[in-house]
Amino acid sequence: MNLRIILIFSILLLSCQPDKKAANTIKLAHSLGVTHPVHKAMVHMAELVSKKSDGMLKLEIYPSSQLGSEQQCLELLQIGSLGMTKVSAAVMENFSPDLKVLGYPYLFRNDEHRFKVYDGPIGEQLLAGSEKYWLKGLTYFDAGSRSFYTKSTPIESPEDLEGLKIRVMQSPTAIEMVKKFGGSPTPISWGELYTSLQQGVVDGAENNLPSFYSSKHYEVCKFLSMDEHTAIPDILVISTIIWDKLNDFEKTWILEAAREATVYQHKLWKEAEEEALNEVKQSGVQVFYPDKSRFEEKSESMFQALKEQDEHLYELAEKIKSVK
């Protein structure tokens, strides 16, 4: 009888333990290299998710466009074939129109203002705006400020962009901005840009410091102009098809890990910016700090046009500007 009681007790005890075979794995794909601060932050997030869930939930990361471009990854999320991805907010414009506002030049006064917007009600509203497209925004990763870099001439004023072909993202806002500055916007995929710069398909591009450095574009472009025209964040996105299948515990683990990884990423980003600036200077890149007000003046007409074309988006931009 004692042996029977012990056996029953053992069976009941085992049935109360988490079923390790039931562990859920979510695939996370993105286009960045493994040395990028955002990739490192996502690795940290995966570690946090595994730790918080005691191994019951895992993130499997595929960097360097292994599963496709940003656009392709978003489309995979929409049908539930991929769990999560990281994309630029500019790319998300096509799926969540209100995110277009983040691509407007000189929208933020400084980093403190920017992070208050991301972490506040407006930031949450923007993340939620894509859910009707089966895409749920989880957090913003800092992507710093974007500036121009060119092959043969420095950009010290908007007039210096006249006649130059500048690579931009597939973003209507970015295209319009370069036009307003006087340049010729040329959308080219990130993976093709190095060769396009070498071959003269474009005369320059615009991006943040770590991307300028990690892409090795500084080998071709020896002029960097820190006009810091936009500050477009990266967004960590999960498929709502996958999200809706998660239980409350799993959702909590992911949200908590995403918040903690964001704080970690901000630290990594600052370090990466400092390293990138030092490295490109040592490689012979000339760095210029133009008068930003001249670029800002040129971009004012974009806001005036927005007021006439899309009152809702214009009011959203004004709300962002007024955040203290």
Side-chain angles (χ1 to χ4, degrees):
M1 181 65 70
N2 287 340
L3 285 175
R4 185 181 178 189
I5 292 173
I6 291 171
L7 180 61
I8 293 173
F9 178 77
S10 299
I11 293 172
L12 289 172
L13 183 63
L14 287 170
S15 69
C16 293
Q17 300 301 309
D19 181 4
K20 296 297 181 182
K21 293 182 180 179
N24 193 2
T25 299
I26 298 175
K27 292 182 178 180
L28 193 172
H30 65 87
S31 61
L32 300 170
V34 295
T35 61
H36 197 283
V38 172
H39 172 76
K40 291 179 180 179
M42 287 187 282
V43 170
H44 183 59
M45 179 180 171
E47 293 168 351
L48 289 169
V49 166
S50 181
K51 182 178 179 181
K52 289 175 183 291
S53 68
D54 193 24
M56 295 298 292
L57 181 63
K58 297 181 179 180
L59 301 185
E60 199 170 82
I61 302 175
Y62 296 83
S64 306
S65 301
Q66 290 181 45
L67 301 187
S69 66
E70 290 195 340
Q71 183 84 10
Q72 289 168 332
C73 284
L74 284 174
E75 291 168 356
L76 290 173
L77 258 66
Q78 288 182 304
I79 60 175
S81 295
L82 180 65
M84 298 169 70
T85 191
K86 185 289 308 173
V87 296
S88 169
V91 176
M92 283 287 286
E93 285 181 27
N94 300 315
F95 300 90
S96 183
D98 279 1
L99 283 168
K100 178 181 179 182
V101 74
L102 297 180
Y104 272 76
Y106 303 104
L107 183 68
F108 302 106
R109 295 185 299 276
N110 49 42
D111 288 348
E112 182 183 4
H113 175 212
R114 187 156 51 94
F115 294 141
K116 278 187 178 179
V117 172
Y118 296 164
D119 297 336
I122 295 175
E124 291 179 7
Q125 172 192 331
L126 290 173
L127 285 179
S130 59
E131 291 186 25
K132 59 185 175 182
Y133 301 97
W134 303 284
L135 304 167
K136 177 180 175 62
L138 295 174
T139 190
Y140 299 96
F141 286 135
D142 186 15
S145 296
R146 301 175 74 91
S147 295
F148 292 110
Y149 51 90
T150 48
K151 291 177 62 177
S152 57
T153 181
I155 306 300
E156 299 186 84
S157 70
E159 290 73 25
D160 292 331
L161 284 163
E162 291 181 9
L164 296 185
K165 292 174 290 184
I166 302 296
R167 181 268 178 182
V168 294
M169 294 178 286
Q170 281 284 1
S171 158
T173 313
I175 291 170
E176 182 64 18
M177 178 193 69
V178 171
K179 284 182 179 178
K180 291 295 182 185
F181 289 162
S184 177
T186 309
I188 293 175
S189 71
W190 181 246
E192 297 173 1
L193 181 52
Y194 187 97
T195 303
S196 297
L197 288 165
Q198 277 186 319
Q199 296 177 349
V201 176
V202 287
D203 302 300
E206 52 87 46
N207 215 314
N208 54 58
L209 274 169
S211 293
F212 177 49
Y213 173 54
S214 63
S215 63
K216 298 188 183 297
H217 292 169
Y218 65 89
E219 294 177 348
V220 185
C221 296
K222 293 300 183 180
F223 299 99
L224 171 64
S225 300
M226 299 292 289
D227 65 294
E228 300 181 318
H229 44 263
T230 53
I232 305 173
D234 284 333
I235 298 179
L236 184 64
V237 186
I238 188 168
S239 164
T240 58
I241 296 172
I242 302 298
W243 179 259
D244 291 341
K245 292 178 181 178
L246 301 177
N247 61 44
D248 290 342
F249 289 109
E250 291 170 323
K251 290 177 180 178
T252 299
W253 293 330
I254 287 174
L255 289 173
E256 287 180 352
R259 283 194 293 269
E260 292 175 41
T262 300
V263 174
Y264 179 63
Q265 190 267 338
H266 286 183
K267 174 179 176 292
L268 291 179
W269 188 263
K270 283 297 180 189
E271 294 171 354
E273 283 187 323
E274 292 173 6
E275 178 191 8
L277 187 58
N278 289 332
E279 291 295 329
V280 298
K281 281 182 177 178
Q282 289 182 18
S283 75
V285 171
Q286 296 182 53
V287 181
F288 298 84
Y289 294 87
D291 181 359
K292 296 179 187 179
S293 66
R294 297 183 66 181
F295 291 87
E296 192 167 0
E297 286 170 10
K298 284 280 187 180
S299 66
E300 276 302 315
S301 59
M302 289 181 66
F303 288 98
Q304 292 308 312
L306 184 63
K307 187 176 183 179
E308 297 172 6
Q309 297 165 5
D310 192 331
E311 188 175 351
H312 164 71
L313 208 60
Y314 175 77
E315 290 177 354
L316 182 57
E318 290 300 299
K319 283 182 182 178
I320 289 173
K321 288 182 177 181
S322 67
V323 170
K324 301 298 184 183

